Amino acid sequence: MRLPDPRTRRPARAALLGLLLCTLLLPAGSPAAPDTDAAAAAFLARLEGAWQTRDLEGWLALWDFATAEQRAFEEETVRAAFSSDETVLNFLRRPTPPEGARQFGADVQVFAATEPRAQVSYWRLSAERRAGGWAIVGRQEAGQIDGLVHLSLGPRAFRARGVSLRLEDFELRMEDGTLYTTPEALGPTAFVFVGRARVRFSPPPPSEREQLRQFSGGLALDREVGWAFIRLHPADFHRALETGNLVPETDPSPRRAEAERVWQGRSQRSFTIDAPLPRSPWWLMPTPGDAIVDFPWGRKRVLTFALSAGETEDVNLFDRDRRLQICTYPSGGRAPRYSDDDRRVVDVLHNDITTRFDPERFEVLATHTMRVKVLSPTSTLRLRLHDDFRVASVTTEEGGNLLFFRVRDQGNLVVSLGPLAKREEPFTLTTRYSGRHDPAPVDQELVQVRSPNVDFEDAFVDRPPLVYSNRTAWYPRPPNEDFATARVRIDSPADWLGVTGGELVSLRAEGGRTRAEYRLEQPGKFVTAIVGRLADMGLRQEGEQAVRGFAGTRMRGETLDQMLAAQEMLAFYAQRFGPSPYPALGLVVAEGETPGGHSPPGLVYLQLRPPALRGHSLPEDPSNFSDLPGFFLAHETAHQWWGEGMAPANYRERWLSEAWAQYSAALWLRDRLGEGAFRRMMDRMARWATRYDSSGPIHLGQRLGHLVQDGRVFRAVVYDKGAWVLHMLRGVVGDEAFFAGARAFLERFRYGKAGTEDFRLALEAASGRDLRPYFERWIYGMGLPVFLWSSRTERIDGGFRTTIEIRPQDLPGPVPLQLAAATATTTEARTIVVEAEGGSWTIETRQEPRRVSLNDDRGLLARVERVARVPGTPQR
Ligand SMILES: [Zn+2]
């Protein structure tokens, strides 16, 4: 699965969305085919000529108007464009109507600038053949981008002495200096301050303060700075700035050189359009509520504070150059509980992909058709598609060619929906595209340990298959994952095979190629294609569940064993979590330097080390349990329920996928290898969890370890501490309620997205308990229980009585705790329920205990510390 990677978050993303519309790729005009209508070509040349020479009469003469009103409107529109400083008309795709055509459409982009402003309009012109030749008969407005401005520092400046710019949780206190701004014609939207100022930023959420501490050493920011660059909407100027204390600077020249230097460095970094428009660069006006403040950090770095009114987590602090997201959270004290689906504009219902892979050259040639339903009217649809791919066309069965735009280096494809924008019934969008794309190794939803520093010279390892997954957008899709059924046809070279999730419908070899077709009948959140030297190992059916194996070279025997193991795991999970979300599962087993796996919908990819490497040890890692046979496969198959059949609602909710996969694997191993193996595994997870618990709460999700660029932090907290939290919750509510709650939760959110609160409510409904305090402490907060305890043993009739005093700390509510007293021959154990205030309990034994202990059954992830005397108890 793919979450908004904090590193790729951009400032004022909402504002940037607006500008995407006008940043376009102009496809080169296709060369005229021999049978093209020559009269139409001449007509188009006249059309261009009339625009270029601003010949209003010439333009109107191209028309065959139906009414006088139509003529008047056209004249008014074009006259306005022709009176601008500069206007340019381009065909988005030059029409080439065939000889004999009666009509054609022409999509054009019209740029018009009157300094310091500009706008871009998209028109669809309809032309029809008339007795005297071609004529325009209609012009449809297909979209417009205005609010483009040219920014500069004006001649005026203000003296700023004791003036504050106040934004959410942020203050720029200008102690003494000069504030330069844009010319009056634009209104106050961009500023450079030079002088002495203090920057203060104090995020209220404790986890954000901790992130700030990891970055800066302090829980809040308070620094002196020598300059700042500010962008906001002019309407926000008086609200955010204490303008009453600004007085005109009598002589702005002393600091102007420094202000110009800041302007040069910063002004083009935000709200700037990167597009082949005349007079570029152009800036966009921030939408009201959006703001950006850049300020220096140390000698070389610059930090940016940004408010992005269009985002759920609208308060941001980041280092743009190093792609570090330091803080991000919702303003106004709102809890960051939301679903990525809340803001989606379309629902994807079905993906149909026909693709030809030539993996030796990383070549992809594809046609992708998706069926979508508009959820809220939108004129454009923003899709993700990797920049390696060139788009040939976007069409729709319902409306022909659609305009599309791409933004340089943004990995997206923006489609103008035109008349489909308000369509209530679902419609299809077909994108034809191609390119050379080398998918980097998968890392999302992947349990893979870091590569060891082993010399592989003498250990031949098969090249692992190419995995086109959710990491890069290898087919056009909305910014967030969307559950949809799929049909995928993969064409690959003869000794290669492409595999995707779901059922293999057909497989045949023809013309030196392998052609495979798959169908995912249940909705999956993305489509993965694994292309490698793979062989179909056949189907194993057990009850409702079918597993089809695909083996890499030299992995055939191994694959049959893994298919059997997968069947057993799937049955084990189905018993606990309900029916498998994807009853037709593919299992790809291949060789790689590091063991690992990946689990897209209806598909499990397992990477095993070749036998020659299995003796080499791997680095310690929170997710490395490769010494426990079956661990990786058990983790990955569990993802079919946790992460695929139900998907986390946003990047913070990753534990619902990873912690559950990890804990499910532990449960499976307990079933297979026994209690001892389970406890050793929980002990290893406990060591990682306690080591990194203070880095941030589980609910920080993918941002854990981001600032220190250490993925182990994420895995230690989200996978291992997460698994422990599930284990503890299970202890709190009991087995029956725990699994009933889990099943109800999965059933309720099957093929949908869910968050922590949804899971809490499901467990509460099943157990009849209020579990909020546990979730507050263990998921949204940090800190694990501590038990200080002491014991004394006294002789009683017939044996010994041991009294254990316990004083817990950081306990969110009552928890079960095992007490044990071991004598030379037996161990007496009892499980008590400890409440926040603690207490004393006794164990009676026949012989004198040699060892008294707590939590031997690994019921709790807790620090257990024996003390001479528990604080708060009377001296004895
Ligand atoms: Zn996983």
Side-chain angles (χ1 to χ4, degrees), residues 444-447 597 599 635-636 639 654 657-658 661-662 719:
Q444 303 278 328
E445 300 261 327
L446 177 72
V447 198
S599 188
H635 177 107
E636 298 302 342
H639 270 314
R654 282 295 297 276
S657 164
E658 295 300 349
Q662 197 81 332
Y719 289 51

Side-chain angles (χ1 to χ4, degrees), residues 1 442-448 467-471 526 528-530 586-588 596-601 603-607 632 635-637 639-640 644:
M1 71 151 296
V442 281
D443 71 349
Q444 303 278 328
E445 300 261 327
L446 177 72
V447 198
Q448 186 166 38
V467 181
Y468 290 86
S469 190
N470 56 336
R471 189 186 152 96
F526 57 85
T528 291
I530 300 176
L587 172 66
V588 177
H598 178 51
S599 188
L603 184 62
V604 168
Y605 172 60
L606 186 64
Q607 189 166 294
F632 282 119
H635 177 107
E636 298 302 342
T637 47
H639 270 314
Q640 295 295 311
E644 301 308 332

Side-chain angles (χ1 to χ4, degrees), residues 377-662:
T378 176
S379 57
T380 56
L381 183 56
R382 185 169 162 259
L383 302 170
R384 288 179 58 216
L385 182 66
H386 198 279
D387 289 324
D388 285 352
F389 298 113
R390 202 185 67 82
V391 176
S393 66
V394 181
T395 56
T396 171
E397 276 173 34
E398 290 75 8
N401 269 315
L402 292 176
L403 302 182
F404 65 91
F405 325 111
R406 301 204 75 189
V407 184
R408 211 182 302 161
D409 302 327
Q410 298 259 329
N412 60 21
L413 167 67
V414 183
V415 179
S416 176
L417 292 179
L420 298 174
K422 290 178 188 143
R423 192 185 164 93
E424 286 184 5
E425 308 79 51
F427 57 87
T428 62
L429 285 180
T430 297
T431 307
R432 290 183 179 78
Y433 61 100
S434 60
R436 290 174 75 147
H437 179 60
D438 178 6
V442 281
D443 71 349
Q444 303 278 328
E445 300 261 327
L446 177 72
V447 198
Q448 186 166 38
V449 296
R450 288 169 306 149
S451 197
N453 289 319
V454 179
D455 185 4
F456 288 101
E457 282 301 310
D458 51 354
F460 171 75
V461 184
D462 240 9
R463 194 177 81 180
L466 301 181
V467 181
Y468 290 86
S469 190
N470 56 336
R471 189 186 152 96
T472 59
W474 68 278
Y475 63 92
R477 55 180 211 239
N480 293 308
E481 287 157 348
D482 197 334
F483 282 90
T485 54
R487 187 182 186 89
V488 182
R489 296 171 200 84
I490 303 177
D491 175 321
S492 57
D495 45 351
W496 293 71
L497 174 63
V499 180
T500 183
E503 184 193 346
L504 176 69
V505 183
S506 76
L507 175 62
R508 56 187 201 278
E510 55 185 35
R513 307 287 299 180
T514 307
R515 298 211 164 91
E517 180 174 339
Y518 301 83
R519 193 165 50 208
L520 187 66
E521 292 204 35
Q522 301 76 26
K525 61 185 191 174
F526 57 85
V527 179
T528 291
I530 300 176
V531 186
R533 295 181 184 276
L534 301 169
D536 173 19
M537 301 302 292
L539 190 77
R540 268 190 63 93
Q541 182 87 39
E542 292 270 354
E544 299 285 291
Q545 181 77 55
V547 173
R548 183 177 288 275
F550 300 93
T553 322
R554 301 190 303 173
M555 281 284 149
R556 290 171 183 232
E558 194 90 55
T559 301
L560 292 172
D561 295 344
Q562 299 291 351
M563 284 168 71
L564 195 61
Q567 284 284 19
E568 289 170 354
M569 290 167 186
L570 291 163
F572 177 81
Y573 294 145
Q575 216 173 33
R576 276 147 194 85
F577 307 137
S580 165
Y582 302 101
L585 186 80
L587 172 66
V588 177
V589 182
E591 218 171 59
E593 286 178 16
T594 49
H598 178 51
S599 188
L603 184 62
V604 168
Y605 172 60
L606 186 64
Q607 189 166 294
L608 300 174
R609 305 176 89 188
L613 282 181
R614 289 183 196 169
H616 295 263
S617 66
L618 289 158
E620 283 285 304
D621 189 277
S623 70
N624 182 11
F625 293 90
S626 58
D627 52 317
L628 295 173
F631 171 81
F632 282 119
L633 186 61
H635 177 107
E636 298 302 342
T637 47
H639 270 314
Q640 295 295 311
W641 280 261
W642 303 101
E644 301 308 332
M646 174 283 308
N650 62 54
Y651 77 89
R652 293 177 176 269
E653 308 286 11
R654 282 295 297 276
W655 78 282
L656 289 174
S657 164
E658 295 300 349
W660 264 111
Q662 197 81 332

